[in-house]
C-alpha cells in the first residue's frame, strides 16, 4: 500500500467499513454481534489490573493532555496466544496502546543531533464518523550494530516449578541462545537464576572470552521449586552495577511468569526496590511467559517503574522477533519520554486519549525533568491516538493544537530536550493512520469500550486489510489480519 492516500478515498473507505454487507477485500466476514456474546477466557490464576478507560475531556476545562509513552507490546502477544487457543482475552488484558506499539510504523528518522523524531496527523474517526482521529508518532533513532555501545546484560531467569514447560523455560532457553549468537565480542553476560534460592549461575563474562560457556549455561536451565523473585532482582541489580559500562547498555533481562511467592513478593515492595535503582542508569526488560498463573499486573508495574519494557513471549516467532530481529530495541535512545498535546479551544470541543490509562500525567509532571517516564529503543516507533469532538467541521489547514515531546538522550541527563510540531487538518491521510485506526478499532471491540461507537471486528478487518500489499502473507500486519478473522470465528 502507498504511504499516503487522498482524504476522499479514506472517507469512502470509512463508508464501506460501516456497511452491513459483511464483505471485505479479503473474503467474507459475518456481521458483528455484541461483545457480550463473546466467550471470555476461562477462569485461571492470570492476573491483570482493571482497565478504567480515559473519558472525554472538555478543552475549556483542560486544554492540555499529558502522558508518558509506553513502548511495550505484551498485551498484543497475550491476546494472540488467547485467540490462537480458541478464546478471547479478558478485557483487563486489553491495553490498546500495547496493540499499537507492537507494530513498527513508517515514521521519519530524527534529524541533526536529536535521537527522537515526532509527527502527527488528523483524519476522520471510523467508529464515530462525525469525530476526528488524531495520531501521534514518535521514532527512536535507528543505529547500525557498530554504533550501539557495548552491552552489560544480566539474564535473570525464573527456574521455579511454574516455569516448567516448552512454552516457558523451553522458550527462555531458545530465545537467550539465539540472542547470544548475535552478541558482539565486547558485550558481557551474567546469568542469575532463582527458584527456592537465588544462584549466580554465571559470573559476568565477555562474549569474546566465553560465548560457548554462556550458551552451555543457558541450555542447562531447568525449572522446579518455589519462587524467590525479590531477592533475585536485588542480586541482578548489584551484578549490573558491579560491571557497569559507562555510556553502555546496562540492562537486566528478566524471564518469568511473575509468580513470586518467597521473600519480597508483593508488587508494592518490588516496585519500591526497582525504583531505588532508577538513577543508577540500569534498565529492566521483562519477558513474560506462560498462562494459568501469569502475573501480568506485577510485570507491567515493575517495567513501568524500572526504566523498562515488558514483552510477552508466546511462540518461537515472537522469541525471534524480540531477541533477534528487533534486538536494537534493547538499547534506549530516548529516555523518560513524555508527550503533551495542547488543543486549540477554537476548533476542538473535547478529546479522549485512547489507551495509556496508567500512563496519564499531570501537566506539572510533564514539565518536571526528574519525573520518570518511558523509554524508546533504537529504531523503535511509538503511536498514540486521540478521538476528537470538533466545534465545527474542519477544513484543510485548520489548527487542532500542538504536539510536544520531552525526552533525555541518557538516563543520567538532568534536563529534558523538547520537540514540537503543529497539528493541522489535512486532505492527505497516511497508511499509518489507517492501520492505527484498524488496530484501535479491534481493541475497542475486545475491550467492549463504552466509546466504541460503530466499531466492529468487520470494520477492523477492512481497515487493516487496506494496509497490506497483495500477496503479503508473512508480515506482522498480515498475521494480525488473520487474528482478526480468528477472533470473528470465536463468536
Amino acid at each position: 500500500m502507498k504511504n499516503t492516500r487522498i482524504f476522499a478515498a479514506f472517507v469512502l473507505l470509512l463508508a464501506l467499513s460501516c456497511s452491513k454487507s459483511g464483505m471485505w477485500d479479503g473474503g467474507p466476514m459475518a456481521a458483528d454481534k455484541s461483545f457480550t456474546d463473546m466467550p471470555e477466557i476461562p477462569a485461571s490464576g492470570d492476573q491483570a489490573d482493571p482497565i478504567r478507560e480515559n473519558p472525554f475531556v472538555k478543552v475549556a476545562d483542560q486544554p492540555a493532555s499529558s502522558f508518558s509513552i509506553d513502548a511495550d507490546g505484551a498485551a498484543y502477544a497475550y491476546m494472540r496466544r488467547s485467540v490462537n487457543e480458541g478464546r478471547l482475552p479478558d478485557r483487563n488484558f486489553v491495553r490498546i496502546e500495547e496493540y499499537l506499539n507492537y507494530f513498527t510504523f513508517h515514521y521519519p528518522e530524527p534529524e541533526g543531533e536529536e535521537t527522537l523524531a515526532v509527527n502527527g496527523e488528523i483524519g476522520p474517526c471510523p467508529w464515530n464518523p462525525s469525530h476526528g482521529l488524531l495520531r501521534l508518532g514518535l521514532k527512536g533513532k535507528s543505529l547500525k550494530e557498530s554504533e550501539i555501545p557495548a552491552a552489560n546484560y544480566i539474564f535473570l531467569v525464573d527456574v521455579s516449578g511454574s516455569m516448567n514447560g516448552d512454552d516457558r523455560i523451553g522458550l527462555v532457553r531458545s530465545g537467550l541462545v539465539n540472542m547470544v549468537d548475535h552478541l558482539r565480542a565486547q558485550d558481557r553476560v551474567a546469568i542469575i537464576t532463582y527458584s527456592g534460592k537465588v544462584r549466580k549461575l554465571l559470573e559476568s563474562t565477555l562474549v569474546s572470552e566465553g560465548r560457548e560457556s554462556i550458551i552451555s549455561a543457558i541450555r542447562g536451565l531447568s525449572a522446579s521449586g518455589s519462587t524467590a523473585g525479590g531477592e533475585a532482582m536485588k542480586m541482578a541489580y548489584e551484578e549490573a552495577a558491579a560491571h557497569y559500562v559507562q555510556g553502555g547498555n546496562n540492562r537486566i533481562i528478566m524471564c518469568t511468569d511473575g509468580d513470586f511467592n518467597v521473600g519480597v513478593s508483593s508488587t508494592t515492595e518490588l516496585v519500591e526496590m526497582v525504583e531505588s535503582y532508577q538513577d543508577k542508569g540500569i534498565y529492566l526488560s521483562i519477558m513474560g511467559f506462560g498462562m494459568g498463573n501469569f502475573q501480568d499486573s506485577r510485570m507491567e508495574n515493575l517495567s513501568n517503574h524500572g526504566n523498562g519494557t515488558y514483552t510477552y513471549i508466546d511462540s518461537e516467532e515472537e522469541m525471534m522477533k524480540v531477541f533477534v530481529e528487533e534486538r536494537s530495541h534493547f538499547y534506549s535512545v530516548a529516555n523518560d519520554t513524555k508527550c503533551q498535546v495542547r488543543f486549540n479551544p477554537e476548533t476542538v470541543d473535547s478529546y479522549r486519549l485512547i489507551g495509556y490509562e496508567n500512563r496519564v500525567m499531570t501537566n506539572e509532571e510533564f514539565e518536571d525533568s526528574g519525573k520518570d517516564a518511558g523509554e524508546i529503543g533504537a529504531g523503535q516507533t511509538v503511536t498514540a491516538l486521540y478521538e476528537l469532538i470538533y466545534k465545527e467541521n474542519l477544513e484543510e489547514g485548520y489548527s487542532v493544537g500542538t504536539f510536544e515531546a520531552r525526552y533525555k538522550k541518557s538516563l543520567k541527563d538532568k534536563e529534558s530536550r523538547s520537540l514540537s510540531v503543529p497539528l493541522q487538518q489535512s486532505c492527505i491521510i497516511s497508511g499509518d493512520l489507517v492501520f492505527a485506526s484498524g488496530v484501535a478499532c479491534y481493541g475497542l471491540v475486545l475491550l467492549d469500550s463504552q466509546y466504541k461507537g460503530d466499531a466492529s471486528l468487520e470494520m477492523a478487518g477492512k481497515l487493516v486489510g487496506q494496509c497490506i500489499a497483495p500477496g503479503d502473507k508473512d508480515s506482522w500486519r498480515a498475521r494480525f489480519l488473520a487474528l482478526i478473522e480468528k477472533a470473528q470465528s470465536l463468536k
Side-chain angles (χ1 to χ4, degrees):
M1 171 183 170
K2 294 181 180 179
N3 196 40
T4 60
R5 55 181 65 233
I6 303 300
F7 181 77
F10 186 66
V11 172
L12 176 60
L13 165 64
L14 297 182
L16 289 171
S17 69
C18 294
S19 73
K20 303 297 184 179
S21 66
M23 298 292 292
W24 65 289
D25 291 345
M29 296 181 78
D32 277 301
K33 297 179 183 178
S34 167
F35 179 83
T36 55
D37 296 331
M38 298 181 181
E40 292 187 355
I41 189 169
S44 72
D46 291 359
Q47 298 290 326
D49 288 335
I51 290 181
R52 297 177 177 86
E53 293 186 90
N54 295 321
F56 276 100
V57 177
K58 287 280 190 180
V59 174
D61 297 331
Q62 188 175 322
S65 172
S66 304
F67 63 96
S68 163
I69 65 97
D70 184 346
D72 300 343
Y76 179 89
Y78 183 92
M79 173 278 297
R80 179 176 58 205
R81 176 167 181 170
S82 298
V83 171
N84 282 334
E85 293 186 354
R87 56 188 180 271
L88 293 163
D90 180 88
R91 73 182 306 276
N92 289 332
F93 287 87
V94 180
R95 293 188 291 273
I96 294 177
E97 69 275 16
E98 294 186 20
Y99 286 18
L100 287 165
N101 292 326
Y102 182 85
F103 298 97
T104 297
F105 286 75
H106 306 100
Y107 298 155
E109 285 283 338
E111 297 180 352
E113 296 183 352
E114 301 295 345
T115 55
L116 182 70
V118 298
N119 64 85
E121 66 175 322
I122 305 155
C125 178
W127 50 90
N128 277 315
S130 64
H131 294 181
L133 192 64
L134 165 63
R135 180 193 59 74
L136 306 179
L138 302 94
K139 172 72 178 289
K141 183 177 181 179
S142 298
L143 298 175
K144 298 176 183 177
E145 191 164 297
S146 60
E147 296 175 312
I148 297 177
N152 168 31
Y153 288 125
I154 291 80
F155 295 163
L156 178 56
V157 184
D158 181 350
V159 292
S160 64
S162 63
M163 283 290 288
N164 191 38
D166 291 341
D167 65 333
R168 304 180 192 207
I169 197 67
L171 281 178
V172 172
R173 287 193 297 260
S174 179
L176 294 182
V177 165
N178 276 282
M179 183 177 178
V180 172
D181 278 340
H182 289 82
L183 294 183
R184 301 158 302 171
Q186 66 267 37
D187 297 329
R188 311 184 65 91
V189 172
I191 303 175
I192 294 172
T193 62
Y194 61 97
S195 56
K197 62 179 181 180
V198 179
R199 179 186 177 196
K200 188 184 294 184
L201 184 65
L202 183 74
E203 296 278 352
S204 183
T205 302
L206 272 170
V207 172
S208 62
E209 299 175 358
R211 188 186 301 269
E212 291 306 316
S213 298
I214 298 169
I215 290 175
S216 177
I218 293 169
R219 286 178 172 158
L221 294 171
S222 61
S224 65
S226 52
T227 316
E231 183 183 348
M233 290 188 71
K234 186 173 185 292
M235 181 183 287
Y237 275 107
E238 290 173 351
E239 183 73 6
H243 299 275
Y244 190 85
V245 177
Q246 290 292 337
N249 182 15
N250 299 277
R251 184 176 296 268
I252 298 167
I253 297 179
M254 185 178 194
C255 302
T256 180
D257 61 5
D259 186 18
F260 303 166
N261 51 37
V262 174
V264 177
S265 59
S266 80
T267 300
T268 300
E269 290 175 307
L270 291 165
V271 165
E272 289 174 355
M273 179 190 298
V274 167
E275 286 182 329
S276 70
Y277 290 95
Q278 274 186 355
D279 61 351
K280 306 295 185 183
I282 299 170
Y283 297 88
L284 173 65
S285 290
I286 299 181
M287 308 292 153
F289 296 81
M291 272 191 176
N293 60 341
F294 185 65
Q295 304 299 306
D296 174 85
S297 57
R298 175 170 293 158
M299 288 183 280
E300 192 199 10
N301 272 288
L302 290 177
S303 67
N304 286 354
H305 291 85
N307 301 323
T309 55
Y310 169 36
T311 304
Y312 181 78
I313 309 295
D314 65 324
S315 63
E316 288 280 348
E317 286 183 338
E318 183 68 10
M319 173 272 297
M320 290 298 292
K321 178 178 185 285
V322 172
F323 288 104
V324 178
E325 295 170 17
E326 297 179 352
R327 62 187 184 278
S328 67
H329 293 181
F330 283 125
Y331 179 64
S332 294
V333 295
N335 301 278
D336 290 340
T337 309
K338 300 171 277 191
C339 299
Q340 183 181 83
V341 179
R342 188 165 291 276
F343 290 98
N344 181 354
E346 295 182 1
T347 55
V348 182
D349 176 82
S350 308
Y351 60 85
R352 189 180 90 82
L353 176 61
I354 300 173
Y356 293 91
E357 285 87 0
N358 59 6
R359 294 289 197 154
V360 173
M361 288 182 155
T362 65
N363 296 328
E364 290 74 20
E365 289 173 326
F366 174 78
E367 297 290 341
D368 181 4
S369 292
K371 178 65 178 176
D372 181 56
E375 278 67 49
I376 301 177
Q380 190 169 21
T381 62
V382 170
T383 301
L385 296 174
Y386 281 86
E387 185 173 342
L388 309 179
I389 300 176
Y390 300 128
K391 285 194 170 180
E392 57 186 30
N393 291 329
L394 290 191
E395 297 179 3
E396 182 180 0
Y398 274 48
S399 170
V400 168
T402 303
F403 167 32
E404 179 184 2
R406 294 171 63 87
Y407 79 102
K408 302 172 185 173
K409 288 187 176 182
S410 165
L411 282 175
K412 295 194 172 184
D413 290 349
K414 297 299 182 183
E415 297 298 324
S416 297
R417 306 169 72 91
S418 177
L419 299 169
S420 64
V421 292
L423 300 170
Q424 294 179 319
Q425 182 69 281
S426 172
C427 66
I428 303 297
I429 305 298
S430 80
D432 283 324
L433 177 55
V434 178
F435 182 76
S437 68
V439 174
C441 179
Y442 178 76
L444 290 170
V445 175
L446 294 194
L447 192 61
D448 193 23
S449 169
Q450 64 176 304
Y451 305 105
K452 68 179 183 292
D454 296 330
S456 65
L457 296 183
E458 180 189 16
M459 178 187 290
K462 289 175 180 175
L463 292 167
V464 171
Q466 293 291 324
C467 303
I468 299 171
D472 182 3
K473 297 181 180 179
D474 297 322
S475 71
W476 294 107
R477 293 187 177 197
R479 294 172 190 178
F480 176 44
L481 184 58
L483 273 180
I484 296 174
E485 293 179 1
K486 283 188 177 182
Q488 182 88 349
S489 71
L490 292 179
K491 296 167 52 182

